Amino acid sequence: MAQHKVNYTQDGGLPVALTSIDKIVNWGRSNSLWALTYGLACCGIEMMASGASRYDFDRYGTIFRASPRQSDLMIVAGTLTKKHAEFIKRLYDQMTEPRWVISMGSCANTGGMFNTYATVQGVDRIIPVDLYLPGCAPRPETLQYGVMLLQKKIRANKAGNAQKPKRLM
Amino acid sequence: MRAYTPKDDVQAKAYYTDRYYVAPQVPKSEVETDEVFAADLAAIKARFEVKEAYIQVEQMVIFINPHDIYGVLELMRDELAYTQLSEMSAIDWLAKDNTFEIFYQMLSMTKRKRIRVKFFINNGEAVDSVEKLFRSADWSEREMFDMFGIEANNHPFMKRILMPYDWQGHPLLKSYPLEGDEFAAWYEVDKIYGKEAREAIGPEIRDTARVDRYDSERFARLGFEVPKGTKITGDEPRNSQEYQEEGGVFLIKKYTKEASTIVDDPQR
Amino acid sequence: MAQVKNRLRPFFENITFDREDNELVLNFGPQHPSSHGQLRLMLHLQQEQIVKAHPDIGYLHRGMEKMAENMIYNEFMPTTDRMDYIASSSNNYGFALAVERLIGVEVPRRAKVIRMMLLEINRLMSHLFWLATTALDIGAMTVFLFAFREREYLMDIIEGYCGARLTHAAIRIGGVPLDIQDTFISQLKTFLDKLPQNIKDYEDLLDSNRIWLMRMEEVGVISTEMALSWGCTGPMLRASGVAWDIRKEEPYELYDEVEFNVPFSDKGDNFARYRLYMEEMRESAKILYQTIDMYAKCVKDAETELMAHAPKYISAPKLDIMTQNYSLMQHFVLVTQGMRPPVGEVYVPTESPKGELGFYINSQGGPYPYRLKLRAPSFWHTGILTDLLPGHYIPDVVSIIGTTNIVFGEVDR
């Protein structure tokens, strides 16, 4: 039998923590944000860099998944063009509730410097966005900070059915 | 009275040009000054009509007849060792004289020389495809069709390449505005949600300098964000930018700035 | 407002099932982790073998050529960063060189040396990134982590120079804006001294790795004729038996003064391309060592000029602008109205990490280019997939896309 070190002076002497359902569910959700790899352009490179050696995204519980059905966070990293717009909607619809969206970089936020015929002027015209990260391209630190703020946002929510699915319209 | 803007060229214009300003020319030199180019030009002239030829910035430019293009490029590839078509595209001169200028940028790796073959076609005419000679022309000609609406005869797959198939208009024409026309503005909304959603989603905001302090939805309230639709009074509290809540987080160690270390040498 | 369903039809409605043959149409992309961006491939399959491939691009078309027609020359410089965003400075350089040839200015020597350093650092960054992503696609996670670690060191150096990690805008028309910082040389030397060992580490992991060899050797063979016909340049062409490097054949900057080799191979398969990237990293390191010496010589000879002197086109140094009336006026005009190059046209090729990056500029004497065509190498390296993929199997697609080293900011512009 495994020997657990139990501090009998804390938590009523038991190796347990008492909490509410909300807190434990939100703890689970916020610390295992599986992100959909949505590298569209330059910001996608910084997203990869934050997943790589120096910035080590895994310590936030953020693992990149290639399938929308396995992920609950979509990091839209890069310029969304009008030709691509329908695919982002498709992939967003395939993600399971609850789902969150981070819009990374100026192009995804507002169209940024590409004020042209071919770019969607902000990804929030297509899907609802939770967090906007400024920068062109934002540094990996910005993305990490953004994920921590998103975790904070998730913790502030009620975990039960009261959480309404987000709709753009 | 509103200032008149010509419909055939809606690109940015210099807002002031000195009336005595005469633009200088990039110097052109005679083809005879370079013997490799002179020999190539003689070989082309023996078979085809060459309207004009000169050397500009170390590259020879020749003007030919539009229907000769396949023959000229075949001659250059097979006999003059210009084995690569680096680039081809068009220039829009519709506002000036209703023509397009087509250029083909050729490279010879053995001679280390580059030649630009050019010709003019009228609006509505098609060019002869050189896809049989250079496979790279396959995509270049499709791009030219996409951007200018110039079709290529005998091309195997003359469809748009960069823009969606159901796009309207040819973006690189001078009559096409940079920010797109009415069709482009609503393209993604119409396609995904339908025309009736236009009102709910709203028009595109193209003015990048616009800052509205009463706007609760966009980015004018950094640090003082409010829920969407809140009425702005001006005395909103500053939002905390901390990573974690004051009282700590369940099951997670509290992050303290004092306990963290700063790495001076990243290459340690 | 109530939820409105979107108008998009499910995927299967787009595919016809009543085909008579056994072909399966497989959609790959445009959002796929190993499509290196937004490549969409429509693959026709017989069992697992591809019989027809139809690359569909344009999912990152942002209208850069149109933007260039509406921007003054200096204003367009940051946009070129976003073309090949793995190696931004090489795009900046290509554009700057094209405009310099157009207006006919000569760049001071010290600026040339700094530019060469930036270009080669960018080449190393690009090749390391290529190695990381391709290895990741094929399943070698360790190499991904190793190569990204080294790339971060280079990014530190670049960041110290221009303040940005990814989008540098580090080169101006007529020179460079700043001298390199104090720690630049020492950091670079530390990095370069470690680099051979690092490259050896990657090679130890990959060269004799059975899985790597099986997915690389004899896969994706491009013949010389095919490479020439499709307009392939750079490593793609050199792996197919043509030793053509613009740095060597049509030297720009000071590439005729430095000593380096142009590695090439006549195999044309994925493995040849992989070996070529590794060798090019070594050559880049060699060039960087020489530029460090050249820079030291510039410092010794007290060559401090960083921008070319051409008052009609290029602003004076900041000190002059702040102290002299005429320089201030000229700077004001150049910033608000833009420079007006002579009437004429120019096509300038440079050797970017991916291949021949060319800028065709047609100027009509105005402050805006009349036509600017970006000749990006990746465009044709994507096109060749049409002819390259048929005959291969589905798993080969990923390794072939990996070794073509395409970047979609450049393909779609």
Side-chain angles (χ1 to χ4, degrees):
Chain A
M1 208 180 130
Q3 296 290 315
H4 295 289
K5 195 180 175 198
V6 179
N7 186 352
Y8 290 99
T9 55
Q10 264 187 4
D11 296 330
L14 289 170
V16 292
L18 293 176
T19 185
S20 60
I21 293 285
D22 271 356
K23 273 191 180 166
I24 188 81
V25 169
N26 280 334
W27 167 76
R29 279 179 180 167
S30 65
N31 288 297
S32 63
L33 282 171
W34 285 14
L36 177 64
T37 52
Y38 217 92
L40 294 172
C42 336
C43 299
I45 309 300
E46 290 295 60
M47 192 173 76
M48 283 178 77
S50 44
S53 344
R54 181 183 283 181
Y55 295 98
D56 186 18
F57 228 172
D58 291 5
R59 61 199 157 120
Y60 298 92
T62 307
I63 302 169
F64 288 110
R65 301 301 299 178
S67 167
R69 289 159 209 276
Q70 300 167 353
S71 48
D72 39 21
L73 166 66
M74 180 191 255
I75 303 175
V76 186
T79 320
L80 182 70
T81 61
K82 303 218 172 192
K83 192 171 179 180
H84 196 106
E86 61 169 304
F87 294 95
I88 202 169
K89 178 67 183 162
R90 266 187 213 286
L91 290 172
Y92 180 75
D93 287 350
Q94 287 179 28
M95 286 164 66
T96 49
E97 303 271 0
R99 56 196 169 189
W100 294 276
V101 177
I102 291 181
S103 153
M104 182 180 178
S106 300
C107 292
N109 294 344
T110 63
M113 68 191 295
F114 295 102
N115 195 0
T116 63
Y117 56 89
T119 47
V120 175
Q121 300 295 304
V123 68
D124 51 3
R125 288 174 65 77
I126 310 293
I127 55 174
V129 174
D130 290 278
L131 207 67
Y132 300 88
L133 301 184
C136 185
R139 299 173 59 90
E141 288 94 331
T142 317
L143 183 57
Q144 290 178 336
Y145 179 53
V147 167
M148 287 170 94
L149 284 188
L150 185 67
Q151 290 179 338
K152 204 172 146 188
K153 177 176 176 173
I154 294 169
R155 286 196 294 262
N157 279 340
K158 284 274 175 219
N161 292 336
Q163 188 187 6
K164 279 197 189 121
K166 287 185 284 285
R167 304 286 183 213
L168 182 64
M169 298 175 45
Chain B
M1 208 169 84
R2 201 182 300 148
Y4 172 72
T5 44
K7 294 283 176 292
D8 51 5
D9 189 354
V10 291
Q11 309 308 306
K13 293 276 179 307
Y15 66 89
Y16 174 73
T17 303
D18 185 32
R19 54 203 281 218
Y20 300 112
Y21 176 73
V22 179
Q25 293 278 335
V26 178
K28 296 174 183 173
S29 56
E30 294 291 318
V31 178
E32 282 70 36
T33 52
D34 187 305
E35 53 189 38
V36 179
F37 280 147
D40 290 343
L41 183 64
I44 297 169
K45 265 188 176 166
R47 300 257 295 276
F48 301 98
E49 186 194 346
V50 175
K51 289 176 173 168
E52 198 189 344
Y54 53 84
I55 296 178
Q56 196 172 37
V57 202
E58 298 161 27
Q59 291 172 17
M60 183 163 79
V61 184
I62 62 172
F63 286 85
I64 58 167
N65 284 320
H67 52 80
D68 287 341
I69 182 65
Y70 189 90
V72 170
L73 292 200
E74 192 173 27
L75 172 78
M76 285 173 69
R77 185 190 71 168
D78 294 341
E79 291 168 29
L80 305 179
Y82 285 84
T83 46
Q84 222 178 31
L85 174 67
S86 301
E87 176 63 281
M88 67 147 299
S89 194
I91 304 169
D92 174 359
W93 293 109
L94 294 182
K96 198 173 132 203
D97 50 7
N98 207 28
T99 55
F100 288 108
E101 185 178 356
I102 320 282
F103 66 89
Y104 295 75
Q105 183 73 40
M106 306 295 298
L107 162 68
S108 167
M109 288 177 179
T110 48
K111 298 178 187 172
R112 299 180 189 176
K113 291 285 180 194
R114 290 173 192 269
I115 294 184
R116 192 153 51 245
V117 182
K118 301 177 107 180
F119 59 82
F120 289 93
I121 59 164
N122 288 325
N123 189 12
E125 285 179 359
V127 297
D128 287 341
S129 172
V130 293
E131 185 266 332
K132 296 276 180 301
L133 294 172
F134 298 100
R135 285 289 284 134
S136 59
D138 183 349
W139 277 30
S140 301
E141 280 163 0
R142 277 178 72 191
E143 193 194 337
M144 187 171 74
F145 167 68
D146 194 352
M147 292 290 138
F148 291 94
I150 304 168
E151 296 196 18
N153 298 327
N154 305 325
H155 190 283
F157 192 73
M158 196 78 259
K159 278 198 168 185
R160 286 182 182 274
I161 187 165
L162 292 179
M163 304 310 292
Y165 288 162
D166 54 352
W167 191 259
Q168 289 173 15
H170 298 284
L172 273 181
L173 291 176
K174 292 280 175 190
S175 55
Y176 194 91
L178 172 67
E179 296 179 358
D181 50 14
E182 177 77 14
F183 172 80
W186 294 106
Y187 177 80
E188 78 277 18
V189 175
D190 286 0
K191 189 161 188 180
I192 297 173
Y193 295 106
K195 272 201 167 68
E196 60 272 21
R198 283 186 180 190
E199 204 176 317
I201 291 179
E204 290 177 328
I205 297 169
R206 290 278 186 178
D207 184 1
T208 46
R210 182 173 165 273
V211 176
D212 182 1
R213 62 186 287 258
Y214 297 105
D215 186 356
S216 61
E217 293 173 27
R218 295 185 71 82
F219 314 107
R221 307 198 54 79
L222 287 182
F224 299 90
E225 296 88 352
V226 288
K228 192 173 176 176
T230 312
K231 205 154 164 32
I232 311 284
T233 52
D235 50 355
E236 282 76 23
R238 187 173 182 91
N239 291 322
S240 88
Q241 303 283 317
E242 289 298 312
Y243 297 118
Q244 292 173 344
E245 292 87 340
E246 266 312 299
V249 184
F250 169 63
L251 280 181
I252 295 172
K253 212 173 146 188
K254 175 80 179 159
Y255 165 81
T256 47
K257 273 185 183 161
E258 295 73 36
S260 59
T261 50
I262 293 170
V263 181
D264 284 330
D265 179 19
Q267 290 204 33
R268 75 207 146 107
Chain C
M1 188 177 167
Q3 160 74 2
V4 181
K5 280 202 184 118
N6 65 53
R7 299 295 179 92
L8 305 173
R9 293 187 306 161
F11 265 143
F12 58 79
E13 288 183 22
N14 298 327
I15 300 171
T16 326
F17 283 101
D18 51 359
R19 297 177 68 109
E20 287 180 0
D21 49 11
N22 272 332
E23 267 183 34
L24 168 75
V25 182
L26 180 75
N27 174 57
F28 177 100
Q31 222 304 304
H32 189 274
S34 53
S35 65
H36 282 220
Q38 309 185 30
L39 171 66
R40 187 184 189 192
L41 283 170
M42 302 303 283
L43 301 170
H44 294 239
L45 302 177
Q46 284 281 12
Q47 320 257 316
E48 281 220 3
Q49 200 170 27
I50 297 157
V51 290
K52 193 174 162 228
H54 177 74
D56 187 10
I57 60 167
Y59 290 97
L60 194 53
H61 176 66
R62 304 183 272 198
M64 284 190 187
E65 289 168 17
K66 189 80 176 172
M67 282 168 83
E69 289 175 18
N70 290 281
M71 280 181 170
I72 62 174
Y73 287 85
N74 278 316
E75 201 181 352
F76 186 60
M77 187 60 82
T79 315
T80 57
D81 279 336
R82 278 87 182 161
M83 271 176 71
D84 175 3
Y85 36 75
I86 315 288
S88 304
S89 296
S90 60
N91 306 318
N92 297 156
Y93 177 72
F95 180 63
L97 187 70
V99 180
E100 281 154 17
R101 294 261 172 95
L102 187 68
I103 60 183
V105 298
E106 186 64 21
V107 177
R109 188 177 167 85
R110 186 161 176 156
K112 281 185 175 176
V113 176
I114 295 172
R115 281 173 168 207
M116 268 175 69
M117 284 179 175
L118 292 174
L119 288 179
E120 291 308 318
I121 288 177
N122 270 278
R123 195 179 308 275
L124 276 175
M125 273 165 64
S126 171
H127 284 5
L128 283 170
F129 185 84
W130 170 83
L131 181 70
T133 48
T134 308
L136 183 66
D137 287 349
I138 289 178
M141 186 80 183
T142 318
V143 179
F144 169 76
L145 294 174
F146 278 19
F148 254 82
R149 181 188 62 194
E150 267 77 61
R151 186 168 170 271
E152 290 289 340
Y153 297 153
L154 284 172
M155 284 183 135
D156 284 335
I157 301 174
I158 285 274
E159 193 187 335
Y161 177 68
C162 65
R165 281 163 53 87
L166 207 63
T167 47
H168 308 149
I171 292 170
R172 299 281 184 277
I173 298 167
V176 287
L178 294 167
D179 200 0
I180 54 177
Q181 76 270 23
D182 303 337
T183 52
F184 190 97
I185 298 283
S186 61
Q187 276 184 332
L188 187 58
K189 268 190 175 152
T190 319
F191 175 81
L192 287 178
D193 291 343
K194 281 187 197 163
L195 187 66
Q197 183 55 42
N198 289 330
I199 295 179
K200 198 170 165 296
D201 283 351
Y202 313 142
E203 286 177 340
D204 287 350
L205 283 167
L206 295 176
D207 267 3
S208 54
N209 187 325
R210 202 153 52 96
I211 302 169
W212 182 261
L213 288 175
M214 278 166 72
R215 302 199 56 179
M216 286 292 191
E217 272 185 331
E218 305 295 326
V219 173
V221 180
I222 303 175
S223 66
T224 311
E225 294 76 35
M226 192 171 157
L228 285 173
S229 172
W230 261 108
C232 287
T233 44
M236 289 281 277
L237 185 61
R238 290 197 283 276
S240 299
V242 185
W244 174 262
D245 188 324
I246 299 172
R247 290 177 294 170
K248 202 84 171 173
E249 310 290 335
E250 300 173 325
Y252 48 88
E253 294 303 300
L254 304 171
Y255 278 113
D256 45 352
E257 292 181 23
V258 294
E259 198 177 314
F260 65 103
N261 301 324
V262 179
F264 75 103
S265 159
D266 55 359
K267 276 282 181 43
D269 59 352
N270 281 349
F271 195 71
R273 266 165 256 150
Y274 152 70
R275 288 300 318 156
L276 208 67
Y277 283 113
M278 303 307 262
E279 290 305 321
E280 284 198 2
M281 279 199 250
R282 295 203 168 95
E283 297 300 322
S284 283
K286 216 195 265 179
I287 296 175
L288 276 172
Y289 273 122
Q290 294 176 51
T291 50
I292 290 172
D293 297 341
M294 286 158 93
Y295 182 77
K297 193 164 176 298
C298 284
V299 174
K300 214 176 89 192
D301 297 348
E303 290 176 27
T304 49
E305 287 275 293
L306 288 176
M307 291 289 274
H309 181 71
K312 249 173 101 178
Y313 305 115
I314 294 159
S315 294
K318 207 75 186 169
L319 185 69
D320 286 3
I321 293 171
M322 293 303 186
T323 52
Q324 293 181 22
N325 195 9
Y326 185 76
S327 296
L328 178 66
M329 282 155 61
Q330 168 234 341
H331 177 67
F332 180 76
V333 170
L334 284 177
V335 168
T336 54
Q337 299 189 17
M339 68 162 90
R340 289 168 194 249
V343 180
E345 53 181 15
V346 68
Y347 174 79
V348 178
T350 52
E351 182 79 19
S352 88
K354 311 275 183 301
E356 176 184 326
L357 176 74
F359 281 81
Y360 169 84
I361 302 177
N362 186 321
S363 156
Q364 291 301 314
Y368 305 98
Y370 190 78
R371 173 89 170 93
L372 189 139
K373 181 84 182 82
L374 310 165
R375 190 252 186 240
S378 297
F379 184 72
W380 284 276
H381 296 173
T382 317
I384 202 170
L385 294 177
T386 320
D387 291 353
L388 185 59
L389 289 182
H392 286 95
Y393 291 89
I394 278 283
D396 296 338
V397 175
V398 170
S399 63
I400 290 174
I401 293 174
T403 51
T404 50
N405 196 7
I406 47 183
V407 167
F408 270 78
E410 201 174 56
V411 176
D412 301 334
R413 302 177 299 270

